[in-house]
Amino acid sequence: MEILMSKAYNNPALSLEAGCSALSWTTQDGKHLWGRNYDFDRLAEGSGMTFLPRGTSYFGVNGPDGTAFPCTSRYACAGIGLLLKPSPVLYEGINEKGLMGGQLYYRGFAEYAKDCRAGTQPLQPPFLVFHMLAQCASVEEVVRCLEEELTLVDVPMMGTVSPLHWAFHDKSGETIVVEPDKEGLHIYRNTLGVMTNSPGYPWHKMNLLNYAGIRDLDYPSVDLDGESLEQCFSGSGAQGLPGDWSSPARFVRLVFLKKYALPGKDEEEGVGRMFHLFQSAAFPLGLVRVSHKSHVTELDKDVVPYDYTVYTSIYCGESLRAYWTTYENQQIQFLDLAALTERKEPFSIPLGREPVFKNAAPDL
């Protein structure tokens, strides 16, 4: 079936290439959280917290010859993305079964198949998040779908083929990482629950051996040639923890934070504490000046010469809530997917990027 794409759909302005960090965490009472920092120099105009009902018709699976295959979503889902026609795009999100996941930038390593494997349908990479949330109830089903039903193909969308890799997490507690490269599609099971950008997950995992001595406990006094130096500051146990904003440094920091940070006793406390973990990997505006430039057109607004943490989002597999903050507005906002599962119409709401300040003084 030939599909005529809308102007917005064909426009390369909606770049899906960004930095980002992702993390899964579990609260003390067993709530499963997954979230991410979205780090880039812009956010495509029209991006918002987007709800898509079960029964949504879309044509997100597109072949190298330009044909498209009609799909219908099995599950309602919500996440930050775009209500494009004929197929929506989610950068990350959650569905009504508690499956969560998102896409991150994988520059220099991502490669996709030129031809579709026999017995599978071709899929353009930027559609993977929504397609998985729309069709799969669990991480196990995501794995089966990727192995048996789909081929990620090297077909441009919006004028480009975005280099992406993905993480998915569910109420089982497992986080998988999905990475396409010149050797094929790799699905890493039972991962550490941390993901950043290039290089690939196996490299990041091996790199942790360089930081094996880092701990949460301060070191005591130091004896040097008969002289004892008493500690006068805290945090000495973490000496050597990388502090820059590169992908390897952020991966190491988030693994360290996940290992030692105290999880919340419940969802509310857990989400609040998880936002703090993401702040440790966030890009302050002005500190990450980029030399790699991506294509800019009329739909990209407010592009700056820096990557920065445009927003942070966290999802809970049990309550089905989506929480987020933006760079400008640190007040935590949320959408309750559980209250929307019977809704029939999609919608997208702004992220609320305007700063919000609360006057704590009593009325006199």
Side-chain angles (χ1 to χ4, degrees):
M1 178 183 295
E2 291 286 346
I3 299 297
L4 296 176
M5 305 302 182
S6 69
K7 179 180 178 182
Y9 183 90
N10 279 312
N11 202 306
L14 303 177
S15 177
L16 302 175
E17 303 175 359
C20 311
S21 304
L23 175 69
S24 61
W25 214 20
T26 305
T27 63
Q28 294 178 35
D29 65 347
K31 300 298 192 303
H32 295 92
L33 308 176
W34 182 90
R36 58 95 56 84
N37 281 343
Y38 182 94
D39 307 316
F40 199 33
D41 61 359
R42 75 199 79 160
L43 186 64
E45 187 176 31
S47 297
M49 179 55 69
T50 302
F51 167 75
L52 295 153
R54 70 174 78 103
T56 296
S57 297
Y58 63 98
F59 296 90
V61 185
N62 293 272
D65 59 354
T67 59
F69 303 90
C71 299
T72 302
S73 63
R74 297 175 182 173
Y75 306 113
C77 55
I80 296 179
L82 290 155
L83 276 178
L84 297 181
K85 296 292 185 180
S87 301
V89 171
L90 293 181
Y91 314 141
E92 86 287 322
I94 184 171
N95 72 11
E96 62 182 285
K97 296 298 183 180
L99 176 66
M100 302 161 275
Q103 63 189 28
L104 279 69
Y105 195 22
Y106 197 37
R107 185 175 50 155
F109 289 83
E111 291 190 25
Y112 310 105
K114 300 296 182 183
D115 300 303
C116 191
R117 289 179 292 128
T120 68
Q121 289 186 336
L123 178 68
Q124 291 167 284
F127 288 125
L128 184 63
V129 173
F130 172 57
H131 189 66
M132 293 296 98
L133 296 180
Q135 303 298 333
C136 300
S138 65
V139 161
E140 202 65 48
E141 290 189 13
V142 170
V143 172
R144 184 170 66 250
C145 186
L146 289 169
E147 291 180 340
E148 301 176 5
E149 300 176 15
L150 295 177
T151 299
L152 291 170
V153 290
D154 188 10
V155 175
M157 175 186 170
M158 305 171 193
T160 186
V161 179
S162 296
L164 302 171
H165 58 169
W166 299 265
F168 291 95
H169 181 68
D170 66 13
K171 292 181 287 186
S172 73
E174 182 182 7
T175 304
I176 63 169
V177 170
V178 179
E179 294 184 331
D181 61 27
K182 62 183 180 182
E183 296 177 354
L185 186 69
H186 307 278
I187 303 173
Y188 302 104
R189 303 292 303 264
N190 297 299
T191 68
L192 294 166
V194 173
M195 186 179 180
T196 54
N197 310 110
S198 308
Y201 177 76
W203 185 96
H204 284 296
K205 186 176 178 181
M206 184 66 68
N207 183 50
L208 293 173
L209 292 175
N210 290 314
Y211 306 93
I214 295 176
R215 63 184 194 178
D216 60 334
L217 181 64
D218 286 338
Y219 288 99
S221 60
V222 177
D223 294 322
L224 296 172
D225 197 21
E227 182 174 352
S228 180
L229 300 177
E230 299 298 327
Q231 67 168 247
C232 62
F233 55 83
S234 60
S236 62
Q239 287 178 356
L241 188 69
D244 61 67
W245 292 281
S246 67
S247 175
R250 285 181 280 119
F251 191 97
V252 173
R253 276 206 308 286
L254 286 174
V255 169
F256 179 81
L257 289 165
K258 182 175 180 179
K259 177 177 175 63
Y260 291 112
L262 295 179
K265 65 179 182 295
D266 53 22
E267 179 180 344
E268 183 176 278
E269 189 172 83
V271 168
R273 292 185 179 186
M274 195 169 178
F275 273 111
H276 282 292
L277 302 195
F278 278 121
Q279 287 170 2
S280 181
F283 291 23
L285 182 58
L287 270 294
V288 184
R289 187 156 59 97
V290 293
S291 58
H292 174 72
K293 304 294 184 182
S294 56
H295 189 65
V296 178
T297 70
E298 69 272 13
L299 291 184
D300 280 322
K301 307 298 183 182
D302 302 320
V303 180
V304 296
Y306 309 97
D307 279 350
Y308 68 105
T309 300
V310 181
Y311 69 80
T312 302
S313 58
I314 297 174
Y315 301 83
C316 178
E318 282 73 24
S319 72
L320 306 186
R321 281 188 171 189
Y323 302 87
W324 74 94
T325 62
T326 70
Y327 191 87
E328 302 84 1
N329 181 9
Q330 290 295 293
Q331 183 179 67
I332 298 175
Q333 305 170 77
F334 74 89
L335 180 79
D336 188 351
L337 175 60
L340 299 170
T341 53
E342 300 307 315
R343 184 184 173 97
K344 303 301 183 184
E345 296 298 323
F347 65 82
S348 183
I349 58 176
L351 296 182
R353 299 177 68 179
E354 300 78 14
V356 174
F357 297 93
K358 178 182 178 180
N359 184 353
D363 293 332
L364 300 176

